[in-house]
Amino acid sequence: MAALRWFVAVVASVAAFFVVAVPWAVLSSGGHDPWEVIGPVGGVVAAGVLAALGWWASQAGAPAGDGSRRTVCQSARAKRNVRQTAGNQGTAGRPARRPMRESIRQKGRGGGGVDQVGGDRI
């Protein structure tokens, strides 16, 4: 998927160059505008398109969970005890770094006890 996105980015960049350069060369008075002017202007437009689409293409290979964000969603409904743990509970070797951002949503309902852990409990 990432290779296809990069292919689209490069093809669109080349197409942007020709969309700017060819009409300018054809429609200029008698076609006498020098390519020393048309080429760099088309190149700047192509570079802008490649920069934007290159960013888009680079997002395809980025893993969804890169370790900088942890999302935990828990929901419990019971008449008796329910225990849910997301993360590590009682581990001896705690991770060296915690995620930069955490999103923890917990909801518990029941006639008994509900124990939910959304992070590390030691």
Side-chain angles (χ1 to χ4, degrees), residues 1 3 5-7 14 19 49-52 60 71-72 74 76 91 114 117 122:
M1 185 65 162
R5 283 188 176 205
W6 277 107
F7 179 75
V14 171
V19 164
V49 170
L50 185 61
T71 302
V72 178
Q74 294 178 328
T91 59
V114 175
V117 178
I122 297 179

Side-chain angles (χ1 to χ4, degrees), residues 31-107:
H32 294 300
D33 274 351
W35 275 95
E36 291 84 12
V37 175
I38 296 172
V41 171
V44 167
V45 171
V49 170
L50 185 61
L53 292 178
W55 174 84
W56 169 73
S58 68
Q59 301 305 307
D66 60 354
S68 64
R69 180 184 175 108
R70 177 172 54 185
T71 302
V72 178
C73 298
Q74 294 178 328
S75 179
R77 177 181 277 188
K79 297 264 183 193
R80 295 287 177 203
N81 294 338
V82 173
R83 182 180 176 131
Q84 293 178 322
T85 303
N88 301 324
Q89 182 175 5
T91 59
R94 190 169 182 189
R97 283 195 262 163
R98 294 190 63 116
M100 293 177 64
R101 294 177 292 173
E102 291 183 320
S103 174
I104 300 173
R105 287 184 278 154
Q106 295 176 320
K107 184 172 29 174

